[in-house]
Amino acid sequence: MNPNTVTTPDNPIPDTRVEPGTAGRGAAIAYWWDRVGIFAVLLLLIALMAVLAPNFLSVDNAINVARSVSINAILAAGLTVVILTAGIDLSVGSILAVAGVGSVLLAVDGVPTPLALLGGILIGALCGALNGVFVAWLALPAFIVTLGSMTYLRGLAYSLLDGQPLVASDLGFRGIGNGSVAGIPQPVVVMIVVYAIFWFLLERTRFGRHVYAVGGNMEAARLAGINVKRVLLYTYMLAGAAAGVAGLIFSARVLSAQPTAGEGYELDAIAAVVLGGTSLAGGRGRIFGTLVGAVIIGVLSNGLILLDVPFFYQLVIKGVVIIIAIALDSLKRFSRASG
């Protein structure tokens, strides 16, 4: 059992979240890095971009950054729940595409806008549930399952559109991609709602405690009476539903169904989760840390564009950031173990 796992007769659910003062120096450093260090990195990055690109701090650019961050942040929120269980989901980008295509097809066929929106979310949840069944009940490696899902779902998105985009300039739900509420872009409003829901699920419900317990020590969680298979199923469903919401926003922004939507988005989402302090080993992390990680990715991307950095160099820099994020995660785990 994880040395930080605590169980009592009154609370048999393992608690893998380490508080300062309950572990050694290494664990304390890792704890405060997750809560303070990531904000310091964001502030330093903003300051750097403000110096290098004078237009970076303009109101219009800030709105653009917020709008662009929303999709990746929503994807990352769903991935956070999966990664907290020591899982992974490489298919969220493809789920985004299928959900977006499905919702646009429903809208074009005359389905009322609320039902088209609900349909996109349900398509995403169904795709996630299928991943969960393979991972939880068939005990297949999540990496392999979601890698396969990433491929066949992408093929499904292409087949539904015969390989061609479907333009829908009068899309009924275009407002969630391009509209605003009291000057705040609607995608940002949706993102805030999504994070509020995920925060509540993880921090204020039994399901959230079960997620941390399964990620901290799956066998201990099972012995404590937690239905591990059901928890895993629900986490992948949530990741799929979040990808469905992201797909709705993407389609609304471009006013079309795009079979190529979301390609490569899973990497940015994983980077945001890990940068935000969630451990790839599971059991540790906070949903709002993921939001900060997504903002870091968004600020970096926007700054590179303002600096006219060629696209291929942007890919190189993002790849380095992902490697650094994973290296930091490994370093934090080593600090906890040695602390």
Side-chain angles (χ1 to χ4, degrees):
M1 183 178 290
N2 188 313
N4 296 318
T5 298
V6 178
T7 61
T8 68
D10 295 329
N11 180 28
I13 301 173
D15 184 0
T16 61
R17 293 174 285 185
V18 179
E19 300 296 330
T22 63
R25 181 179 180 183
I29 292 174
Y31 176 91
W32 287 112
W33 168 258
D34 288 343
R35 284 152 180 77
V36 179
I38 190 67
F39 287 100
V41 170
L42 176 58
L43 292 176
L44 287 173
L45 182 60
I46 291 174
L48 177 63
M49 292 303 175
V51 171
L52 297 178
N55 292 332
F56 178 78
L57 293 180
S58 68
V59 174
D60 288 342
N61 189 62
I63 292 175
N64 288 334
V65 171
R67 195 185 298 272
S68 64
V69 161
S70 59
I71 291 178
N72 184 43
I74 292 171
L75 285 178
L79 265 175
T80 299
V81 184
V82 170
I83 292 176
L84 280 171
T85 65
I88 194 70
D89 191 345
L90 301 176
S91 67
V92 290
S94 296
I95 293 177
L96 179 155
V98 172
V101 168
S103 61
V104 172
L105 289 175
L106 289 173
V108 169
D109 285 342
V111 174
T113 297
L115 293 181
L117 291 170
L118 180 60
I121 297 172
L122 289 178
I123 289 171
L126 180 61
C127 294
L130 190 57
N131 286 337
V133 168
F134 284 120
V135 172
W137 269 269
L138 299 183
L140 298 177
F143 182 89
I144 300 301
V145 169
T146 58
L147 181 62
S149 300
M150 178 177 70
T151 304
Y152 80 72
L153 288 173
R154 181 64 60 186
L156 179 60
Y158 274 100
S159 64
L160 288 172
L161 296 173
D162 293 327
Q164 299 297 322
L166 173 62
V167 178
S169 55
D170 58 346
L171 193 62
F173 55 85
R174 57 186 178 275
I176 68 169
N178 300 291
S180 61
V181 178
I184 303 174
Q186 284 193 31
V188 178
V189 174
V190 174
M191 178 189 71
I192 293 171
V193 171
V194 168
Y195 270 80
I197 292 172
F198 274 78
W199 174 84
F200 180 79
L201 287 174
L202 289 174
E203 300 292 338
R204 292 294 183 265
T205 68
R206 179 180 293 271
F207 168 75
R209 294 194 296 274
H210 288 182
V211 168
Y212 281 100
V214 170
N217 191 316
M218 188 175 295
E219 185 58 28
R222 184 180 290 109
L223 293 175
I226 295 174
N227 189 330
V228 173
K229 292 180 179 179
R230 184 169 61 190
V231 170
L232 292 176
L233 174 64
Y234 288 167
T235 59
Y236 284 92
M237 284 183 65
L238 285 170
V245 173
L248 296 174
I249 295 175
F250 185 97
S251 295
R253 284 185 64 182
V254 299
L255 296 177
S256 63
Q258 299 279 349
T260 58
E263 286 187 342
Y265 282 24
E266 57 279 344
L267 297 181
D268 281 352
I270 292 171
V273 174
V274 179
L275 277 173
T278 298
S279 173
L280 288 171
R284 292 186 177 89
R286 290 293 187 276
I287 189 68
F288 286 122
T290 295
L291 179 57
V292 176
V295 174
I296 289 176
I297 297 295
V299 168
L300 178 63
S301 298
N302 179 262
L304 293 175
I305 292 173
L306 291 179
L307 293 172
D308 292 325
V309 176
F311 176 71
F312 41 87
Y313 286 132
Q314 293 183 35
L315 294 178
V316 172
I317 294 171
K318 284 186 178 181
V320 171
V321 169
I322 292 173
I323 293 174
I324 291 174
I326 295 174
L328 283 174
D329 176 58
S330 298
L331 182 61
K332 286 187 295 182
R333 276 186 279 164
F334 175 78
S335 298
R336 289 187 176 102
S338 61

